Amino acid sequence: MSAEDPPRSIPGARLMFTLDPAVSYLNHGAFGAVPITVQRTQQRLRDEMEANPLRFYGTGLVDRVVHTRRHLASFLGADPDGSALVPNTTAAISLILQSVRFQPAEEVLLTDHSYGAVTMAVRRQCRRSGATARTVAIPLGATDAEVVSRIRSALRPGRTRLLVVDQIASATATVFPVREIVAAAREHDIPVLVDAAHVPGMLPVDVAAIGADFWVGNLHKWAWAPRGTALLNVAAPWRRRIDPLIVSWDQEEGYPLAVESQGTIDYTPWLAAPTGVFTLRTLGWESVREHNAALAAYGQRVVGEALGLAPSDLPGHDGPGIGMRVIPLPAGLATTSPEALALRQRIADKLAVETAVNAWGGRGLLRLSAQVYNRPEEYQHLAEHLPALLAAFQR
């Protein structure tokens, strides 16, 4: 197969999911998609819960959660005793921001690739504490060395209380060299929070080797867990300082049980999550990763060509292979969040294609995901019809 050929589809993979066959779902990165095997596991757990709620919640639930946490932490190379199951990455980030305890003279440093809800959470906590939120700009296509250099130059020892950085940025699909960034911050004893929402199942990861003070990733995106499943890892010096957002019966147990114990929440997504990892491994995790990365690159190329873009104009074309890619839209198109949302909805309504459209850095970015249920023909269809749709949208 040449670089110009589309990657081969994985036989039968589409049948593993219950997605609408009339829609091209090219936005796995938004909410994931849960395989049928995982849906059935979760339904059995729900049936068990509803058959005897008192027994489900009152007998052995903590042990089941701990066992699940250890399984998922092992998958990610994280210390199980330093990890906690949480609903999602943004919930964990709010938890960390509450626990760090900022002072008025301090600041939180982010990049301009930060997820919107994360930036909002940082700004809210800074307003409450009197601290400052500051952003460092990282150009699209910056090399790892350039990224580390820009972040290192932006750090203010004695003032920067926390650095928040993505491992894979949602809006730009940029892969950040987090291990090197953590090392640079460590030179000044500045704690680092890694937002790894898209990492589990997308990239091989050894959380312990990254060395961040805080690392959190969703398993309900690329690791095929039910929605509401993420893993937070906290370095040893910080564990006693974690202050749960909600006080429940295991508050006195401390981290991680104090974070995981939340009364009558639905624990079935967490307990079913190992089935997602098992399904991923059964299909062949490396094969899945290679397929998704190749298909995302193919989709980026064919849609980019349809919009008149050269390979060098496509961010990430020469970077690490991941299952998400972005395509810059024509200048003046989708430059604000409302415009981006309107364009995404127009593409869905007119072309029956689900994508992500983000306004970033004064320009609209179309983000395409690739998963085993996708086919090259879906990207070809988008490439064929998108130019006319964009031209009509601009008028």
Side-chain angles (χ1 to χ4, degrees):
M1 183 178 73
S2 73
E4 299 298 314
D5 293 330
R8 296 184 180 89
S9 299
I10 297 178
R14 182 85 178 191
L15 300 177
M16 296 170 56
F17 298 84
T18 53
L19 292 164
D20 185 350
V23 175
S24 292
Y25 198 75
L26 309 184
N27 195 10
H28 186 90
F31 299 104
V34 184
I36 294 172
T37 54
V38 183
Q39 293 181 39
R40 289 175 176 168
T41 297
Q42 186 179 15
Q43 188 57 54
R44 286 194 294 270
L45 289 162
R46 285 173 171 156
D47 292 343
E48 176 191 347
M49 177 173 61
E50 297 305 333
N52 191 332
L54 185 60
R55 177 177 293 275
F56 180 86
Y57 281 97
T59 305
L61 178 59
V62 170
D63 290 339
R64 295 171 80 173
V65 169
V66 170
H67 176 76
T68 298
R69 180 219 307 155
R70 290 186 175 278
H71 182 93
L72 298 177
S74 175
F75 171 63
L76 298 171
D79 176 7
D81 294 326
S83 300
L85 292 169
V86 291
N88 52 53
T89 297
T90 48
I93 288 174
S94 288
L95 169 66
I96 298 306
L97 292 173
Q98 172 178 283
S99 301
V100 170
R101 308 287 186 187
F102 302 102
Q103 300 299 319
E106 296 174 337
E107 68 176 19
V108 182
L109 183 65
L110 310 100
T111 79
D112 58 349
H113 295 248
S114 180
Y115 187 60
V118 172
T119 301
M120 292 169 64
V122 168
R123 289 174 177 167
R124 184 185 71 167
Q125 197 63 31
C126 286
R127 285 195 303 270
R128 289 176 171 177
S129 63
T132 302
R134 190 164 57 89
T135 301
V136 54
I138 307 292
L140 273 180
T143 65
D144 286 355
E146 290 169 341
V147 170
V148 175
S149 176
R150 280 178 173 261
I151 291 177
R152 177 183 279 114
S153 297
L155 296 172
R156 295 175 178 173
R159 182 169 180 181
T160 304
R161 175 62 170 154
L162 181 69
L163 168 63
V164 182
V165 65
D166 295 88
Q167 190 164 356
I168 300 175
S170 177
T172 63
T174 298
V175 181
F176 282 82
V178 289
R179 189 168 180 175
E180 292 80 0
I181 292 170
V182 169
R186 188 76 66 227
E187 296 170 4
H188 304 291
D189 294 323
I190 295 173
V192 180
L193 166 56
V194 175
D195 177 350
H198 287 275
V199 171
M202 172 90 85
L203 288 176
V205 61
D206 184 344
V207 172
I210 292 171
D213 300 86
F214 314 102
W215 183 100
V216 58
N218 292 327
L219 287 108
H220 55 241
K221 290 182 182 286
W222 301 90
W224 295 353
R227 291 170 200 90
T229 307
L231 190 87
L232 167 66
N233 185 260
V234 175
W238 286 95
R239 293 171 194 171
R240 293 174 60 88
R241 301 161 70 175
I242 298 301
D243 188 13
L245 296 171
I246 300 171
V247 175
S248 194
W249 286 103
D250 284 317
Q251 176 72 13
E252 298 305 315
E253 296 293 330
Y255 181 86
L257 287 180
V259 170
E260 294 171 332
S261 177
Q262 298 298 327
T264 54
I265 66 167
D266 185 358
Y267 292 93
T268 64
W270 297 356
L271 300 181
T275 302
V277 174
F278 175 80
T279 304
L280 188 61
R281 284 172 165 162
T282 299
L283 203 60
W285 185 35
E286 287 298 325
S287 297
V288 170
R289 286 186 54 245
E290 291 173 4
H291 168 273
N292 293 349
L295 187 56
Y298 173 78
Q300 182 192 45
R301 179 173 61 80
V302 296
V303 175
E305 286 178 354
L307 298 181
L309 299 173
S312 59
D313 298 325
L314 301 174
H317 70 280
D318 56 352
I322 61 173
M324 293 194 308
R325 295 291 185 99
V326 295
I327 300 155
L329 294 170
L333 193 63
T335 58
T336 67
S337 292
E339 291 173 357
L341 177 61
L343 177 57
R344 183 196 67 76
Q345 193 61 53
R346 180 75 64 87
I347 294 171
D349 292 343
K350 298 296 184 181
L351 304 183
V353 178
E354 293 289 357
T355 64
V357 181
N358 295 292
W360 185 86
R363 188 164 188 178
L365 298 177
L366 175 71
R367 192 191 72 192
L368 301 178
S369 297
Q371 189 49 272
V372 294
Y373 51 74
N374 292 126
R375 304 180 306 276
E377 294 80 12
E378 295 175 294
Y379 304 90
Q380 295 163 4
H381 168 74
L382 179 61
E384 180 181 353
H385 297 282
L386 184 61
L389 183 146
L390 296 181
F393 188 80
Q394 284 183 302
R395 288 199 291 267

